[in-house]
Amino acid sequence: MYELHTPVHIKAVAKYMGYYLLAFSFVLVVPMIVAIIFHNFQATGYYGVTAIAAFVLGSFIYRTLPDYELETKEALIIVALVFPISAFLSAIPMSLSTGMPFFDAYFESVSAVTTTGLSVAPADVGPVFFFARSWGQWVGGIGIILIVLSVLIRPGTTAFRMYKANYGDMKIKPTVISTTRTLGKVYVVITLVSIVLLLLSGMSLFDSICHAFCCVSTGGFSTQTASIGAYNGNLIPTAISISCILGAISFVLYPYLLKKPQKFIRDKELKYFLSVLVFGSIVFALTLSRENFEYAAIKDNLFQIISAITTAGFSTFDLSILSEASKAVLIFIMWIGGCMGSTAGGIKVFRLLLLFKVVHNVLVRLFLPRETITPIKIEEHIIESEEIYNLVTFMLLYTLILVASAFIFMLYGVDTITSVFEASSALSTVGLSAGATSAAMPAMLKAVLIVDMLFGRIEIIPLILLFMPGTWIKRKRKTKRIVRT
C-alpha cells in the first residue's frame, strides 16, 4: 500500500470510470425493456434517457483520455466510486417514474446495488419498480466491475488490480479475465436454478424472476409487502432458503462440484458456515419458544436464520414483535454472514475462522519459547502477517462504525436493541428490519443507513480512502532548515 503515499492519478480513475459508465448504460436498458413489456412508456422514457446519457458520457470520457496502467490505489478508488454512482444513476428514473422523493429513491437504489434489501418505498409502486430493484440487486451482487473486466478490459496488470480490489486473491483460472467469466457463468447458472425452484414451488414467472435475482445476490427485496410471509405453505420458503444458500457459498467452489466434489464437501469455511447455521437455528428456536406467539419450525425458525446468515434479508413475519433475546441471536448471525467469494455480506465466516486461529495461536505461544515459529494455517493456505493486520483493522473499523451508527439511532429515540439491529442489518447488507426503517424515519437516519450499506458492500477500506485528502492531494513535506554556526 506504499503507493498511497502519492495521490491517485485522476485521469486514470476517470478513464476507467468511462468504461464503467458504458457498461452501466446497458444495465439500465434492461428495466427499460421491462417497462415496454408492461406498457409503462413513461418509465421507458426515463430509463432510456438515463441510459443514453450514461453511454454518451462514458463514450466521451473513454475516447478523450488515453490508456493508463492502474495502480492498486486507483483500483480501490474505482471500486469505492462504482456503487454510489450506480445508485445515483438508478435513482433518477426510479424517482421520476414512481413519484418517490429522490432521497428515498437513492436509499432504495443504494439498498439494491449493495444487495441489502432495506426499503422505504411505498406499497403501490408497480411491477417495473419491483423488477428494476431486483435487477439492481442481481447486478450489484456479481458486481459491475466483473462486467467491465469480462467485456471491456484487456488482460494485464490493470485487470489484475481491478479484480483484486473487488474480489481479493481468489482465482480458479490462470488469468483474472478467465476467472471473472467463470464466476459470471456460475452466477447465471445458480440464478436459473433458483428460478426453476421457485416456479416448481408455485410462484408466478414474474415473482420467480424477481425473487431469484434477490436470492442469489442475497439481497432480500420482495414483490410482496409482507415479503415471504405473503406466501402460504413451506414450498416457497424452502425454495427461497436453498437459493439464498447457493448465493452465500463461495463461487470459487462451484467449478469443483464436477471435477473434484470432495474439495467442495471438505471445504473448511463451508463446514463452519453450515455449523453456524445449525447452531443458530437451535438457539433461535429456544428463544422463540419463550415468545407469546405460535411459529412454524421451518417457515419461521430455520428460514429466518438462513435469511440472516446468508444476509438475504427475507422474512416470514414482523420481526418487531420479537423479544430482545431473539433479536440478539439474529444480530450475531447477521454479523457473521456468509462465505468469502460469495454475494453474502457480514464479517464473513473465513474472517471469523481466522480470528479464532489467531486467538488460539496467541494462547499456544504462552507455553512455547519466544523464538518458536508458529505459522497460522487454514487448510493449505498459510496466513501472512499482512492478512492478520488487515483482519484486525477491518474488525476495529467494523465495530466503530456499528457503534457510531447505533448511537445516532439512539439519539433519535430508538431503543438500544433496535438501534443495534438496524445498524447491523445495514452494515452487514442484510436488509432485515425490527421496525425502525420506513419512509417516515428522519433523513439523518436514512443517511446513516445509506453510509452503512455502502461500507458493508465495499468493505470499509476503499470508501475511507475515497475521503482521505492524501488520496487526491499531494502533501508538501516539511523540511527542516539547518543553520551552520
Side-chain angles (χ1 to χ4, degrees):
M1 297 299 291
Y2 63 88
E3 296 164 351
L4 287 172
H5 288 199
T6 59
V8 298
H9 196 311
I10 296 178
K11 289 185 177 180
V13 173
K15 173 71 176 183
Y16 288 93
M17 288 305 294
Y19 279 119
Y20 147 73
L21 288 172
L22 285 173
F24 198 75
S25 66
F26 291 98
V27 171
L28 292 170
V29 168
V30 176
M32 182 191 76
I33 295 171
V34 172
I36 294 173
I37 294 172
F38 282 96
H39 300 98
N40 188 338
F41 299 112
Q42 187 180 49
T44 301
Y46 292 137
Y47 278 101
V49 170
T50 309
I52 292 170
F55 183 84
V56 170
L57 180 59
S59 298
F60 175 77
I61 296 172
Y62 165 72
R63 294 178 182 277
T64 302
L65 297 175
D67 288 327
Y68 294 94
E69 196 71 58
L70 284 183
E71 301 289 350
T72 302
K73 57 179 177 283
E74 280 98 25
L76 290 170
I77 293 303
I78 289 169
V79 169
L81 287 171
V82 159
F83 290 95
I85 293 177
S86 297
F88 178 81
L89 292 173
S90 299
I92 295 172
M94 183 180 289
S95 175
L96 293 172
S97 61
T98 62
M100 291 174 60
F102 182 79
F103 191 60
D104 285 3
Y106 186 70
F107 182 100
E108 211 72 18
S109 297
V110 169
S111 188
V113 298
T114 60
T115 70
T116 304
L118 288 171
S119 180
V120 295
D124 55 344
V125 282
V128 176
F129 170 83
F130 288 133
F131 177 86
R133 202 171 58 164
S134 300
W135 171 249
Q137 287 203 324
W138 192 79
V139 172
I142 196 62
I144 301 294
I145 300 297
L146 186 142
I147 298 173
V148 174
L149 285 171
S150 301
V151 181
L152 299 176
I153 295 181
R154 296 187 299 271
T157 304
T158 292
F160 172 76
R161 285 173 174 163
M162 288 277 284
Y163 177 89
K164 187 174 181 179
N166 204 60
Y167 301 104
D169 295 318
M170 292 178 293
K171 287 199 302 181
I172 50 179
K173 295 288 184 180
T175 66
V176 295
I177 300 297
S178 58
T179 295
T180 54
R181 289 172 182 169
T182 301
L183 293 176
K185 291 175 183 177
V186 168
Y187 197 57
V188 170
V189 168
I190 64 174
T191 302
L192 293 175
V193 169
S194 178
I195 292 173
V196 171
L197 286 174
L198 292 169
L199 284 172
L200 293 175
S201 67
M203 198 177 273
S204 69
L205 178 61
F206 178 77
D207 281 8
S208 294
I209 293 172
C210 290
H211 282 91
F213 283 166
C214 298
C215 285
V216 299
S217 64
T218 60
F221 277 136
S222 176
T223 57
Q224 306 295 324
T225 305
S227 190
I228 309 305
Y231 299 98
N232 296 321
N234 287 327
L235 283 179
I236 289 177
T238 301
I240 292 284
S241 298
I242 294 171
S243 301
C244 292
I245 291 172
L246 290 176
I249 295 173
S250 176
F251 288 3
V252 176
L253 291 177
Y254 283 110
Y256 293 108
L257 269 175
L258 298 177
K259 297 178 181 178
K260 298 178 181 178
Q262 66 275 12
K263 183 175 178 64
F264 183 94
I265 297 170
R266 295 175 183 173
D267 183 74
K268 184 168 287 188
E269 186 183 22
L270 179 58
K271 288 181 179 178
Y272 273 79
F273 170 72
L274 296 175
S275 299
V276 172
L277 193 158
V278 172
F279 180 75
S281 299
I282 295 171
V283 177
F284 191 56
L286 292 174
T287 62
L288 286 181
S289 64
R290 296 175 178 271
E291 307 291 340
N292 294 321
F293 67 93
E294 295 182 0
Y295 71 95
I298 295 176
K299 190 174 181 180
D300 294 330
N301 175 29
L302 183 59
F303 178 87
Q304 214 56 67
I305 290 296
I306 291 174
S307 182
I309 195 170
T310 61
T311 70
F314 293 109
S315 59
T316 55
F317 62 94
D318 183 5
L319 301 184
S320 64
I321 65 175
L322 291 176
S323 66
E324 291 190 358
S326 297
K327 290 177 183 176
V329 174
L330 291 179
I331 288 171
F332 282 114
I333 295 297
M334 289 191 294
W335 286 347
I336 295 171
C339 301
M340 294 289 284
S342 70
T343 59
I347 294 171
K348 304 290 198 311
V349 176
F350 180 84
R351 287 197 182 103
L352 191 66
L353 179 59
L354 177 55
L355 188 63
F356 285 139
K357 288 277 187 179
V358 170
V359 173
H360 177 264
N361 197 45
V362 170
L363 295 176
V364 168
R365 288 188 62 83
L366 294 175
F367 300 93
L368 298 173
R370 294 185 63 182
E371 63 273 10
T372 304
I373 298 175
T374 53
I376 299 175
K377 189 176 181 181
I378 298 179
E379 293 186 333
E380 303 300 322
H381 179 55
I382 297 177
I383 306 299
E384 303 292 339
S385 58
E386 184 178 353
E387 293 180 74
I388 298 174
Y389 296 148
N390 290 339
L391 172 66
V392 173
T393 302
F394 177 86
M395 295 296 293
L396 175 63
L397 292 173
Y398 187 95
T399 304
L400 290 175
I401 294 168
L402 177 64
V403 170
S405 301
F407 181 71
I408 295 173
F409 267 80
M410 292 178 212
L411 290 177
Y412 279 81
V414 182
D415 64 89
T416 302
I417 191 70
T418 302
S419 298
V420 176
F421 193 99
E422 303 295 307
S424 300
S425 182
L427 191 56
S428 295
T429 67
V430 180
L432 293 174
S433 175
T437 302
S438 68
M441 71 190 302
M444 180 61 183
L445 297 186
K446 292 178 184 177
V448 169
L449 293 180
I450 286 173
V451 172
D452 284 347
M453 289 188 284
L454 290 171
F455 269 128
R457 180 62 180 87
I458 302 170
E459 297 220 323
I460 300 176
I461 299 296
L463 198 60
I464 290 178
L465 293 178
L466 189 62
F467 294 98
M468 288 177 61
T471 302
W472 306 99
I473 303 170
K474 187 174 182 179
R475 295 183 178 180
K476 294 181 180 180
R477 292 184 178 180
K478 294 181 181 180
T479 55
K480 292 182 179 181
R481 189 175 179 181
I482 301 175
V483 180
R484 295 184 179 180
T485 56

